[in-house]
Amino acid sequence: MSDSLIQIYVHALWTTKNREPFILPELKDPLCKHIQAELEKMNCQLIIINSMPNRIHCLFSICSTKSISFIIKQIKGSSSRYINLQYSLPNKLEWQIGYAAFSVSKLALNKVYEYIKFQHDSHGFKSMANK
């Protein structure tokens, strides 16, 4: 095969520091759009992103040149920097040190997509999933 084909899908999630409910409705869209832009810069394709007040769920495909740890580190660092510089908030957005990342088979993409999309519903909040 002369060309490479990479189809690796990742469901990643990370939480705010001490699981503080920092992701308010007015921050959700700008934060999710910034994360999408960061993924695109790294040649990763966002499939869906959604947040709860204290965490982000993100399903994306990764490129062949970046590790999952590099991608998540870049997203977390740039997104907290962006929010803290762009918004005058009483407290700074900080993420927990760790994260979770799960491989997702192509056959399970729809199931994981629906799980992320309806996070708010399953936790008693109105669904506001972004694609």
Side-chain angles (χ1 to χ4, degrees), residues 10 12 14 31-49 56-63 66-68 70-76 78:
V10 175
W14 57 94
L31 179 60
C32 290
K33 286 178 181 168
H34 179 82
I35 291 170
Q36 180 176 6
E38 285 300 310
L39 284 167
E40 288 171 0
K41 285 182 197 174
M42 293 183 281
N43 295 318
C44 297
Q45 180 186 2
L46 177 68
I47 299 168
I48 189 169
I49 186 168
I56 296 279
H57 282 264
C58 190
L59 177 62
F60 57 95
S61 64
I62 65 172
C63 68
K66 306 275 189 286
S67 69
I68 294 170
F70 177 85
I71 293 166
I72 302 298
K73 180 180 177 182
Q74 182 66 28
I75 291 170
K76 287 170 64 178
S78 68

PDB file of all heavy atoms in Angstrom, residues 10 12 14 31-49 56-63 66-68 70-76 78:
ATOM      1  N   VAL A  10     -11.040   8.214  19.201  1.00  0.00           N
ATOM      2  CA  VAL A  10     -10.801   8.321  20.634  1.00  0.00           C
ATOM      3  C   VAL A  10     -11.960   9.060  21.292  1.00  0.00           C
ATOM      4  O   VAL A  10     -12.392  10.110  20.807  1.00  0.00           O
ATOM      5  CB  VAL A  10      -9.484   9.082  20.915  1.00  0.00           C
ATOM      6  CG1 VAL A  10      -9.279   9.308  22.407  1.00  0.00           C
ATOM      7  CG2 VAL A  10      -8.305   8.333  20.324  1.00  0.00           C
ATOM      8  N   ALA A  12     -12.385  10.949  24.560  1.00  0.00           N
ATOM      9  CA  ALA A  12     -11.588  11.498  25.657  1.00  0.00           C
ATOM     10  C   ALA A  12     -12.481  12.327  26.564  1.00  0.00           C
ATOM     11  O   ALA A  12     -13.443  12.950  26.112  1.00  0.00           O
ATOM     12  CB  ALA A  12     -10.453  12.362  25.108  1.00  0.00           C
ATOM     13  N   TRP A  14     -12.099  14.859  30.282  1.00  0.00           N
ATOM     14  CA  TRP A  14     -11.292  15.423  31.362  1.00  0.00           C
ATOM     15  C   TRP A  14     -12.176  16.350  32.170  1.00  0.00           C
ATOM     16  O   TRP A  14     -13.213  16.809  31.704  1.00  0.00           O
ATOM     17  CB  TRP A  14     -10.044  16.116  30.823  1.00  0.00           C
ATOM     18  CG  TRP A  14     -10.296  17.200  29.834  1.00  0.00           C
ATOM     19  CD1 TRP A  14     -10.421  18.536  30.077  1.00  0.00           C
ATOM     20  CD2 TRP A  14     -10.445  17.047  28.420  1.00  0.00           C
ATOM     21  NE1 TRP A  14     -10.648  19.221  28.918  1.00  0.00           N
ATOM     22  CE2 TRP A  14     -10.675  18.335  27.882  1.00  0.00           C
ATOM     23  CE3 TRP A  14     -10.423  15.952  27.558  1.00  0.00           C
ATOM     24  CZ2 TRP A  14     -10.866  18.564  26.522  1.00  0.00           C
ATOM     25  CZ3 TRP A  14     -10.628  16.181  26.201  1.00  0.00           C
ATOM     26  CH2 TRP A  14     -10.837  17.464  25.698  1.00  0.00           C
ATOM     27  N   LEU A  31     -15.752  27.581  24.423  1.00  0.00           N
ATOM     28  CA  LEU A  31     -14.795  26.558  24.832  1.00  0.00           C
ATOM     29  C   LEU A  31     -14.795  25.398  23.841  1.00  0.00           C
ATOM     30  O   LEU A  31     -13.737  24.957  23.379  1.00  0.00           O
ATOM     31  CB  LEU A  31     -15.133  26.060  26.239  1.00  0.00           C
ATOM     32  CG  LEU A  31     -14.255  24.970  26.822  1.00  0.00           C
ATOM     33  CD1 LEU A  31     -12.806  25.417  26.923  1.00  0.00           C
ATOM     34  CD2 LEU A  31     -14.785  24.549  28.193  1.00  0.00           C
ATOM     35  N   CYS A  32     -15.968  24.920  23.476  1.00  0.00           N
ATOM     36  CA  CYS A  32     -16.059  23.796  22.533  1.00  0.00           C
ATOM     37  C   CYS A  32     -15.524  24.184  21.152  1.00  0.00           C
ATOM     38  O   CYS A  32     -14.831  23.393  20.511  1.00  0.00           O
ATOM     39  CB  CYS A  32     -17.492  23.298  22.444  1.00  0.00           C
ATOM     40  SG  CYS A  32     -18.048  22.446  23.950  1.00  0.00           S
ATOM     41  N   LYS A  33     -15.809  25.391  20.704  1.00  0.00           N
ATOM     42  CA  LYS A  33     -15.292  25.844  19.404  1.00  0.00           C
ATOM     43  C   LYS A  33     -13.770  25.972  19.432  1.00  0.00           C
ATOM     44  O   LYS A  33     -13.098  25.655  18.445  1.00  0.00           O
ATOM     45  CB  LYS A  33     -15.949  27.155  19.007  1.00  0.00           C
ATOM     46  CG  LYS A  33     -17.377  26.956  18.564  1.00  0.00           C
ATOM     47  CD  LYS A  33     -18.065  28.249  18.212  1.00  0.00           C
ATOM     48  CE  LYS A  33     -19.499  27.924  17.814  1.00  0.00           C
ATOM     49  NZ  LYS A  33     -20.356  29.058  17.713  1.00  0.00           N
ATOM     50  N   HIS A  34     -13.231  26.425  20.547  1.00  0.00           N
ATOM     51  CA  HIS A  34     -11.773  26.529  20.652  1.00  0.00           C
ATOM     52  C   HIS A  34     -11.133  25.138  20.599  1.00  0.00           C
ATOM     53  O   HIS A  34     -10.130  24.938  19.916  1.00  0.00           O
ATOM     54  CB  HIS A  34     -11.378  27.248  21.948  1.00  0.00           C
ATOM     55  CG  HIS A  34      -9.910  27.361  22.100  1.00  0.00           C
ATOM     56  ND1 HIS A  34      -9.175  28.353  21.472  1.00  0.00           N
ATOM     57  CD2 HIS A  34      -9.007  26.589  22.755  1.00  0.00           C
ATOM     58  CE1 HIS A  34      -7.892  28.188  21.760  1.00  0.00           C
ATOM     59  NE2 HIS A  34      -7.772  27.126  22.524  1.00  0.00           N
ATOM     60  N   ILE A  35     -11.716  24.192  21.306  1.00  0.00           N
ATOM     61  CA  ILE A  35     -11.188  22.821  21.290  1.00  0.00           C
ATOM     62  C   ILE A  35     -11.266  22.249  19.880  1.00  0.00           C
ATOM     63  O   ILE A  35     -10.312  21.611  19.412  1.00  0.00           O
ATOM     64  CB  ILE A  35     -11.938  21.943  22.318  1.00  0.00           C
ATOM     65  CG1 ILE A  35     -11.569  22.406  23.742  1.00  0.00           C
ATOM     66  CG2 ILE A  35     -11.614  20.464  22.113  1.00  0.00           C
ATOM     67  CD1 ILE A  35     -12.414  21.782  24.829  1.00  0.00           C
ATOM     68  N   GLN A  36     -12.354  22.502  19.182  1.00  0.00           N
ATOM     69  CA  GLN A  36     -12.472  22.034  17.796  1.00  0.00           C
ATOM     70  C   GLN A  36     -11.363  22.632  16.933  1.00  0.00           C
ATOM     71  O   GLN A  36     -10.737  21.921  16.142  1.00  0.00           O
ATOM     72  CB  GLN A  36     -13.838  22.397  17.221  1.00  0.00           C
ATOM     73  CG  GLN A  36     -14.001  21.932  15.792  1.00  0.00           C
ATOM     74  CD  GLN A  36     -15.385  22.204  15.229  1.00  0.00           C
ATOM     75  OE1 GLN A  36     -16.222  22.844  15.853  1.00  0.00           O
ATOM     76  NE2 GLN A  36     -15.633  21.683  14.050  1.00  0.00           N
ATOM     77  N   ALA A  37     -11.118  23.915  17.072  1.00  0.00           N
ATOM     78  CA  ALA A  37     -10.065  24.573  16.291  1.00  0.00           C
ATOM     79  C   ALA A  37      -8.690  23.984  16.607  1.00  0.00           C
ATOM     80  O   ALA A  37      -7.869  23.789  15.706  1.00  0.00           O
ATOM     81  CB  ALA A  37     -10.076  26.078  16.551  1.00  0.00           C
ATOM     82  N   GLU A  38      -8.441  23.696  17.875  1.00  0.00           N
ATOM     83  CA  GLU A  38      -7.157  23.092  18.257  1.00  0.00           C
ATOM     84  C   GLU A  38      -7.001  21.711  17.640  1.00  0.00           C
ATOM     85  O   GLU A  38      -5.914  21.361  17.171  1.00  0.00           O
ATOM     86  CB  GLU A  38      -7.029  23.010  19.783  1.00  0.00           C
ATOM     87  CG  GLU A  38      -6.730  24.319  20.445  1.00  0.00           C
ATOM     88  CD  GLU A  38      -5.417  24.938  19.982  1.00  0.00           C
ATOM     89  OE1 GLU A  38      -4.381  24.248  19.977  1.00  0.00           O
ATOM     90  OE2 GLU A  38      -5.444  26.122  19.619  1.00  0.00           O
ATOM     91  N   LEU A  39      -8.056  20.925  17.645  1.00  0.00           N
ATOM     92  CA  LEU A  39      -7.990  19.607  17.018  1.00  0.00           C
ATOM     93  C   LEU A  39      -7.696  19.728  15.531  1.00  0.00           C
ATOM     94  O   LEU A  39      -6.867  18.992  14.993  1.00  0.00           O
ATOM     95  CB  LEU A  39      -9.299  18.838  17.252  1.00  0.00           C
ATOM     96  CG  LEU A  39      -9.481  18.251  18.644  1.00  0.00           C
ATOM     97  CD1 LEU A  39     -10.919  17.807  18.856  1.00  0.00           C
ATOM     98  CD2 LEU A  39      -8.521  17.088  18.874  1.00  0.00           C
ATOM     99  N   GLU A  40      -8.357  20.674  14.866  1.00  0.00           N
ATOM    100  CA  GLU A  40      -8.126  20.872  13.436  1.00  0.00           C
ATOM    101  C   GLU A  40      -6.684  21.276  13.157  1.00  0.00           C
ATOM    102  O   GLU A  40      -6.097  20.823  12.171  1.00  0.00           O
ATOM    103  CB  GLU A  40      -9.102  21.917  12.889  1.00  0.00           C
ATOM    104  CG  GLU A  40     -10.522  21.399  12.806  1.00  0.00           C
ATOM    105  CD  GLU A  40     -11.555  22.467  12.476  1.00  0.00           C
ATOM    106  OE1 GLU A  40     -11.181  23.655  12.300  1.00  0.00           O
ATOM    107  OE2 GLU A  40     -12.748  22.120  12.397  1.00  0.00           O
ATOM    108  N   LYS A  41      -6.095  22.108  14.011  1.00  0.00           N
ATOM    109  CA  LYS A  41      -4.686  22.508  13.847  1.00  0.00           C
ATOM    110  C   LYS A  41      -3.762  21.297  13.888  1.00  0.00           C
ATOM    111  O   LYS A  41      -2.697  21.297  13.285  1.00  0.00           O
ATOM    112  CB  LYS A  41      -4.259  23.480  14.953  1.00  0.00           C
ATOM    113  CG  LYS A  41      -4.772  24.874  14.799  1.00  0.00           C
ATOM    114  CD  LYS A  41      -4.221  25.721  15.939  1.00  0.00           C
ATOM    115  CE  LYS A  41      -4.980  26.999  16.114  1.00  0.00           C
ATOM    116  NZ  LYS A  41      -4.544  27.746  17.306  1.00  0.00           N
ATOM    117  N   MET A  42      -4.173  20.270  14.648  1.00  0.00           N
ATOM    118  CA  MET A  42      -3.350  19.065  14.784  1.00  0.00           C
ATOM    119  C   MET A  42      -3.768  17.977  13.805  1.00  0.00           C
ATOM    120  O   MET A  42      -3.381  16.817  13.958  1.00  0.00           O
ATOM    121  CB  MET A  42      -3.431  18.552  16.228  1.00  0.00           C
ATOM    122  CG  MET A  42      -2.800  19.488  17.228  1.00  0.00           C
ATOM    123  SD  MET A  42      -2.832  18.848  18.921  1.00  0.00           S
ATOM    124  CE  MET A  42      -4.519  19.212  19.400  1.00  0.00           C
ATOM    125  N   ASN A  43      -4.585  18.331  12.801  1.00  0.00           N
ATOM    126  CA  ASN A  43      -5.074  17.385  11.800  1.00  0.00           C
ATOM    127  C   ASN A  43      -5.885  16.237  12.395  1.00  0.00           C
ATOM    128  O   ASN A  43      -5.838  15.104  11.911  1.00  0.00           O
ATOM    129  CB  ASN A  43      -3.923  16.838  10.952  1.00  0.00           C
ATOM    130  CG  ASN A  43      -3.289  17.923  10.124  1.00  0.00           C
ATOM    131  OD1 ASN A  43      -3.980  18.760   9.563  1.00  0.00           O
ATOM    132  ND2 ASN A  43      -1.972  17.926  10.075  1.00  0.00           N
ATOM    133  N   CYS A  44      -6.625  16.558  13.447  1.00  0.00           N
ATOM    134  CA  CYS A  44      -7.551  15.606  14.043  1.00  0.00           C
ATOM    135  C   CYS A  44      -8.960  16.069  13.701  1.00  0.00           C
ATOM    136  O   CYS A  44      -9.219  17.269  13.632  1.00  0.00           O
ATOM    137  CB  CYS A  44      -7.397  15.576  15.560  1.00  0.00           C
ATOM    138  SG  CYS A  44      -5.771  15.029  16.112  1.00  0.00           S
ATOM    139  N   GLN A  45      -9.850  15.126  13.474  1.00  0.00           N
ATOM    140  CA  GLN A  45     -11.217  15.480  13.103  1.00  0.00           C
ATOM    141  C   GLN A  45     -12.148  15.292  14.293  1.00  0.00           C
ATOM    142  O   GLN A  45     -12.281  14.185  14.816  1.00  0.00           O
ATOM    143  CB  GLN A  45     -11.707  14.627  11.943  1.00  0.00           C
ATOM    144  CG  GLN A  45     -13.110  14.967  11.532  1.00  0.00           C
ATOM    145  CD  GLN A  45     -13.658  14.024  10.481  1.00  0.00           C
ATOM    146  OE1 GLN A  45     -13.019  13.078  10.068  1.00  0.00           O
ATOM    147  NE2 GLN A  45     -14.884  14.278  10.063  1.00  0.00           N
ATOM    148  N   LEU A  46     -12.783  16.394  14.699  1.00  0.00           N
ATOM    149  CA  LEU A  46     -13.781  16.325  15.760  1.00  0.00           C
ATOM    150  C   LEU A  46     -15.044  15.678  15.218  1.00  0.00           C
ATOM    151  O   LEU A  46     -15.533  16.052  14.147  1.00  0.00           O
ATOM    152  CB  LEU A  46     -14.107  17.726  16.289  1.00  0.00           C
ATOM    153  CG  LEU A  46     -15.198  17.775  17.350  1.00  0.00           C
ATOM    154  CD1 LEU A  46     -14.732  17.112  18.640  1.00  0.00           C
ATOM    155  CD2 LEU A  46     -15.628  19.204  17.603  1.00  0.00           C
ATOM    156  N   ILE A  47     -15.575  14.736  15.952  1.00  0.00           N
ATOM    157  CA  ILE A  47     -16.842  14.112  15.590  1.00  0.00           C
ATOM    158  C   ILE A  47     -17.961  14.723  16.427  1.00  0.00           C
ATOM    159  O   ILE A  47     -18.986  15.126  15.901  1.00  0.00           O
ATOM    160  CB  ILE A  47     -16.764  12.578  15.745  1.00  0.00           C
ATOM    161  CG1 ILE A  47     -15.677  12.046  14.791  1.00  0.00           C
ATOM    162  CG2 ILE A  47     -18.124  11.932  15.475  1.00  0.00           C
ATOM    163  CD1 ILE A  47     -15.279  10.619  15.015  1.00  0.00           C
ATOM    164  N   ILE A  48     -17.743  14.836  17.728  1.00  0.00           N
ATOM    165  CA  ILE A  48     -18.695  15.508  18.611  1.00  0.00           C
ATOM    166  C   ILE A  48     -17.969  15.917  19.884  1.00  0.00           C
ATOM    167  O   ILE A  48     -17.013  15.260  20.306  1.00  0.00           O
ATOM    168  CB  ILE A  48     -19.924  14.619  18.943  1.00  0.00           C
ATOM    169  CG1 ILE A  48     -21.004  15.422  19.677  1.00  0.00           C
ATOM    170  CG2 ILE A  48     -19.523  13.377  19.700  1.00  0.00           C
ATOM    171  CD1 ILE A  48     -22.346  14.709  19.809  1.00  0.00           C
ATOM    172  N   ILE A  49     -18.443  17.009  20.457  1.00  0.00           N
ATOM    173  CA  ILE A  49     -17.942  17.476  21.741  1.00  0.00           C
ATOM    174  C   ILE A  49     -19.140  17.928  22.552  1.00  0.00           C
ATOM    175  O   ILE A  49     -20.115  18.446  22.000  1.00  0.00           O
ATOM    176  CB  ILE A  49     -16.908  18.609  21.575  1.00  0.00           C
ATOM    177  CG1 ILE A  49     -16.286  18.983  22.925  1.00  0.00           C
ATOM    178  CG2 ILE A  49     -17.513  19.816  20.878  1.00  0.00           C
ATOM    179  CD1 ILE A  49     -15.076  19.881  22.812  1.00  0.00           C
ATOM    180  N   ILE A  56     -15.532  17.724  30.127  1.00  0.00           N
ATOM    181  CA  ILE A  56     -15.659  17.726  28.673  1.00  0.00           C
ATOM    182  C   ILE A  56     -15.619  16.291  28.185  1.00  0.00           C
ATOM    183  O   ILE A  56     -14.791  15.494  28.648  1.00  0.00           O
ATOM    184  CB  ILE A  56     -14.477  18.497  28.019  1.00  0.00           C
ATOM    185  CG1 ILE A  56     -14.482  19.960  28.403  1.00  0.00           C
ATOM    186  CG2 ILE A  56     -14.453  18.305  26.514  1.00  0.00           C
ATOM    187  CD1 ILE A  56     -15.409  20.844  27.630  1.00  0.00           C
ATOM    188  N   HIS A  57     -16.505  15.961  27.258  1.00  0.00           N
ATOM    189  CA  HIS A  57     -16.453  14.694  26.531  1.00  0.00           C
ATOM    190  C   HIS A  57     -16.194  15.044  25.068  1.00  0.00           C
ATOM    191  O   HIS A  57     -16.829  15.947  24.524  1.00  0.00           O
ATOM    192  CB  HIS A  57     -17.785  13.943  26.607  1.00  0.00           C
ATOM    193  CG  HIS A  57     -18.021  13.236  27.882  1.00  0.00           C
ATOM    194  ND1 HIS A  57     -17.740  11.906  28.053  1.00  0.00           N
ATOM    195  CD2 HIS A  57     -18.523  13.672  29.065  1.00  0.00           C
ATOM    196  CE1 HIS A  57     -18.062  11.546  29.284  1.00  0.00           C
ATOM    197  NE2 HIS A  57     -18.546  12.609  29.920  1.00  0.00           N
ATOM    198  N   CYS A  58     -15.295  14.318  24.445  1.00  0.00           N
ATOM    199  CA  CYS A  58     -14.895  14.655  23.086  1.00  0.00           C
ATOM    200  C   CYS A  58     -14.625  13.358  22.316  1.00  0.00           C
ATOM    201  O   CYS A  58     -13.912  12.482  22.814  1.00  0.00           O
ATOM    202  CB  CYS A  58     -13.621  15.490  23.192  1.00  0.00           C
ATOM    203  SG  CYS A  58     -13.075  16.259  21.700  1.00  0.00           S
ATOM    204  N   LEU A  59     -15.199  13.233  21.138  1.00  0.00           N
ATOM    205  CA  LEU A  59     -14.945  12.086  20.261  1.00  0.00           C
ATOM    206  C   LEU A  59     -14.293  12.626  19.003  1.00  0.00           C
ATOM    207  O   LEU A  59     -14.831  13.522  18.354  1.00  0.00           O
ATOM    208  CB  LEU A  59     -16.262  11.372  19.920  1.00  0.00           C
ATOM    209  CG  LEU A  59     -16.193  10.196  18.948  1.00  0.00           C
ATOM    210  CD1 LEU A  59     -15.329   9.064  19.496  1.00  0.00           C
ATOM    211  CD2 LEU A  59     -17.608   9.694  18.627  1.00  0.00           C
ATOM    212  N   PHE A  60     -13.118  12.107  18.682  1.00  0.00           N
ATOM    213  CA  PHE A  60     -12.381  12.609  17.527  1.00  0.00           C
ATOM    214  C   PHE A  60     -11.511  11.509  16.943  1.00  0.00           C
ATOM    215  O   PHE A  60     -11.238  10.496  17.589  1.00  0.00           O
ATOM    216  CB  PHE A  60     -11.512  13.817  17.911  1.00  0.00           C
ATOM    217  CG  PHE A  60     -10.523  13.551  19.009  1.00  0.00           C
ATOM    218  CD1 PHE A  60      -9.214  13.200  18.714  1.00  0.00           C
ATOM    219  CD2 PHE A  60     -10.887  13.661  20.337  1.00  0.00           C
ATOM    220  CE1 PHE A  60      -8.285  12.961  19.724  1.00  0.00           C
ATOM    221  CE2 PHE A  60      -9.965  13.431  21.358  1.00  0.00           C
ATOM    222  CZ  PHE A  60      -8.668  13.077  21.050  1.00  0.00           C
ATOM    223  N   SER A  61     -11.090  11.719  15.713  1.00  0.00           N
ATOM    224  CA  SER A  61     -10.121  10.813  15.104  1.00  0.00           C
ATOM    225  C   SER A  61      -8.748  11.460  15.234  1.00  0.00           C
ATOM    226  O   SER A  61      -8.637  12.688  15.214  1.00  0.00           O
ATOM    227  CB  SER A  61     -10.462  10.552  13.638  1.00  0.00           C
ATOM    228  OG  SER A  61     -10.363  11.744  12.894  1.00  0.00           O
ATOM    229  N   ILE A  62      -7.739  10.633  15.394  1.00  0.00           N
ATOM    230  CA  ILE A  62      -6.387  11.187  15.546  1.00  0.00           C
ATOM    231  C   ILE A  62      -5.599  10.972  14.261  1.00  0.00           C
ATOM    232  O   ILE A  62      -5.883  10.069  13.479  1.00  0.00           O
ATOM    233  CB  ILE A  62      -5.632  10.610  16.761  1.00  0.00           C
ATOM    234  CG1 ILE A  62      -5.361   9.123  16.617  1.00  0.00           C
ATOM    235  CG2 ILE A  62      -6.411  10.864  18.035  1.00  0.00           C
ATOM    236  CD1 ILE A  62      -4.460   8.566  17.703  1.00  0.00           C
ATOM    237  N   CYS A  63      -4.621  11.840  14.070  1.00  0.00           N
ATOM    238  CA  CYS A  63      -3.740  11.705  12.912  1.00  0.00           C
ATOM    239  C   CYS A  63      -2.580  10.782  13.285  1.00  0.00           C
ATOM    240  O   CYS A  63      -2.394  10.424  14.444  1.00  0.00           O
ATOM    241  CB  CYS A  63      -3.237  13.076  12.471  1.00  0.00           C
ATOM    242  SG  CYS A  63      -2.127  13.847  13.654  1.00  0.00           S
ATOM    243  N   LYS A  66       0.637  12.454  15.863  1.00  0.00           N
ATOM    244  CA  LYS A  66       0.487  12.969  17.218  1.00  0.00           C
ATOM    245  C   LYS A  66       0.011  11.869  18.151  1.00  0.00           C
ATOM    246  O   LYS A  66      -0.844  11.057  17.798  1.00  0.00           O
ATOM    247  CB  LYS A  66      -0.539  14.112  17.257  1.00  0.00           C
ATOM    248  CG  LYS A  66      -0.282  15.258  16.301  1.00  0.00           C
ATOM    249  CD  LYS A  66       0.676  16.256  16.894  1.00  0.00           C
ATOM    250  CE  LYS A  66       0.800  17.522  16.093  1.00  0.00           C
ATOM    251  NZ  LYS A  66       1.539  17.459  14.861  1.00  0.00           N
ATOM    252  N   SER A  67       0.540  11.873  19.355  1.00  0.00           N
ATOM    253  CA  SER A  67       0.089  10.912  20.363  1.00  0.00           C
ATOM    254  C   SER A  67      -1.152  11.452  21.068  1.00  0.00           C
ATOM    255  O   SER A  67      -1.409  12.662  21.078  1.00  0.00           O
ATOM    256  CB  SER A  67       1.187  10.659  21.393  1.00  0.00           C
ATOM    257  OG  SER A  67       1.394  11.821  22.181  1.00  0.00           O
ATOM    258  N   ILE A  68      -1.903  10.564  21.667  1.00  0.00           N
ATOM    259  CA  ILE A  68      -3.089  10.978  22.419  1.00  0.00           C
ATOM    260  C   ILE A  68      -2.681  11.912  23.551  1.00  0.00           C
ATOM    261  O   ILE A  68      -3.324  12.940  23.777  1.00  0.00           O
ATOM    262  CB  ILE A  68      -3.863   9.759  22.939  1.00  0.00           C
ATOM    263  CG1 ILE A  68      -4.445   8.961  21.775  1.00  0.00           C
ATOM    264  CG2 ILE A  68      -4.966  10.181  23.909  1.00  0.00           C
ATOM    265  CD1 ILE A  68      -5.021   7.624  22.155  1.00  0.00           C
ATOM    266  N   PHE A  70      -0.166  13.959  23.741  1.00  0.00           N
ATOM    267  CA  PHE A  70       0.174  15.275  23.197  1.00  0.00           C
ATOM    268  C   PHE A  70      -1.095  16.048  22.844  1.00  0.00           C
ATOM    269  O   PHE A  70      -1.221  17.241  23.152  1.00  0.00           O
ATOM    270  CB  PHE A  70       1.066  15.139  21.962  1.00  0.00           C
ATOM    271  CG  PHE A  70       1.375  16.461  21.323  1.00  0.00           C
ATOM    272  CD1 PHE A  70       2.433  17.230  21.773  1.00  0.00           C
ATOM    273  CD2 PHE A  70       0.583  16.949  20.285  1.00  0.00           C
ATOM    274  CE1 PHE A  70       2.703  18.472  21.196  1.00  0.00           C
ATOM    275  CE2 PHE A  70       0.844  18.179  19.701  1.00  0.00           C
ATOM    276  CZ  PHE A  70       1.913  18.947  20.161  1.00  0.00           C
ATOM    277  N   ILE A  71      -2.036  15.384  22.194  1.00  0.00           N
ATOM    278  CA  ILE A  71      -3.281  16.038  21.770  1.00  0.00           C
ATOM    279  C   ILE A  71      -4.043  16.567  22.985  1.00  0.00           C
ATOM    280  O   ILE A  71      -4.457  17.732  23.015  1.00  0.00           O
ATOM    281  CB  ILE A  71      -4.150  15.062  20.948  1.00  0.00           C
ATOM    282  CG1 ILE A  71      -3.456  14.743  19.614  1.00  0.00           C
ATOM    283  CG2 ILE A  71      -5.549  15.633  20.721  1.00  0.00           C
ATOM    284  CD1 ILE A  71      -4.050  13.555  18.878  1.00  0.00           C
ATOM    285  N   ILE A  72      -4.227  15.734  23.985  1.00  0.00           N
ATOM    286  CA  ILE A  72      -4.989  16.154  25.167  1.00  0.00           C
ATOM    287  C   ILE A  72      -4.257  17.265  25.915  1.00  0.00           C
ATOM    288  O   ILE A  72      -4.875  18.247  26.344  1.00  0.00           O
ATOM    289  CB  ILE A  72      -5.269  14.956  26.100  1.00  0.00           C
ATOM    290  CG1 ILE A  72      -6.043  13.858  25.374  1.00  0.00           C
ATOM    291  CG2 ILE A  72      -6.011  15.417  27.359  1.00  0.00           C
ATOM    292  CD1 ILE A  72      -7.407  14.237  24.871  1.00  0.00           C
ATOM    293  N   LYS A  73      -2.954  17.146  26.057  1.00  0.00           N
ATOM    294  CA  LYS A  73      -2.179  18.200  26.727  1.00  0.00           C
ATOM    295  C   LYS A  73      -2.344  19.534  25.996  1.00  0.00           C
ATOM    296  O   LYS A  73      -2.554  20.578  26.614  1.00  0.00           O
ATOM    297  CB  LYS A  73      -0.701  17.811  26.777  1.00  0.00           C
ATOM    298  CG  LYS A  73       0.177  18.832  27.449  1.00  0.00           C
ATOM    299  CD  LYS A  73       1.630  18.396  27.459  1.00  0.00           C
ATOM    300  CE  LYS A  73       2.499  19.478  28.069  1.00  0.00           C
ATOM    301  NZ  LYS A  73       3.914  19.114  28.061  1.00  0.00           N
ATOM    302  N   GLN A  74      -2.286  19.496  24.672  1.00  0.00           N
ATOM    303  CA  GLN A  74      -2.433  20.710  23.868  1.00  0.00           C
ATOM    304  C   GLN A  74      -3.835  21.307  24.030  1.00  0.00           C
ATOM    305  O   GLN A  74      -3.991  22.515  24.206  1.00  0.00           O
ATOM    306  CB  GLN A  74      -2.157  20.398  22.397  1.00  0.00           C
ATOM    307  CG  GLN A  74      -2.236  21.584  21.480  1.00  0.00           C
ATOM    308  CD  GLN A  74      -1.145  22.611  21.755  1.00  0.00           C
ATOM    309  OE1 GLN A  74      -0.066  22.274  22.221  1.00  0.00           O
ATOM    310  NE2 GLN A  74      -1.439  23.860  21.477  1.00  0.00           N
ATOM    311  N   ILE A  75      -4.845  20.469  23.963  1.00  0.00           N
ATOM    312  CA  ILE A  75      -6.222  20.939  24.089  1.00  0.00           C
ATOM    313  C   ILE A  75      -6.464  21.549  25.469  1.00  0.00           C
ATOM    314  O   ILE A  75      -7.032  22.644  25.589  1.00  0.00           O
ATOM    315  CB  ILE A  75      -7.221  19.784  23.853  1.00  0.00           C
ATOM    316  CG1 ILE A  75      -7.211  19.343  22.398  1.00  0.00           C
ATOM    317  CG2 ILE A  75      -8.632  20.199  24.268  1.00  0.00           C
ATOM    318  CD1 ILE A  75      -7.994  18.064  22.160  1.00  0.00           C
ATOM    319  N   LYS A  76      -6.068  20.840  26.505  1.00  0.00           N
ATOM    320  CA  LYS A  76      -6.316  21.334  27.858  1.00  0.00           C
ATOM    321  C   LYS A  76      -5.576  22.643  28.112  1.00  0.00           C
ATOM    322  O   LYS A  76      -6.156  23.597  28.642  1.00  0.00           O
ATOM    323  CB  LYS A  76      -5.915  20.265  28.887  1.00  0.00           C
ATOM    324  CG  LYS A  76      -6.886  19.103  28.941  1.00  0.00           C
ATOM    325  CD  LYS A  76      -6.373  17.947  29.783  1.00  0.00           C
ATOM    326  CE  LYS A  76      -6.191  18.287  31.227  1.00  0.00           C
ATOM    327  NZ  LYS A  76      -5.746  17.137  32.029  1.00  0.00           N
ATOM    328  N   SER A  78      -4.300  24.914  25.914  1.00  0.00           N
ATOM    329  CA  SER A  78      -4.737  26.043  25.099  1.00  0.00           C
ATOM    330  C   SER A  78      -6.150  26.491  25.464  1.00  0.00           C
ATOM    331  O   SER A  78      -6.451  27.688  25.437  1.00  0.00           O
ATOM    332  CB  SER A  78      -4.662  25.694  23.606  1.00  0.00           C
ATOM    333  OG  SER A  78      -5.618  24.727  23.274  1.00  0.00           O
TER     334      SER A  78
END
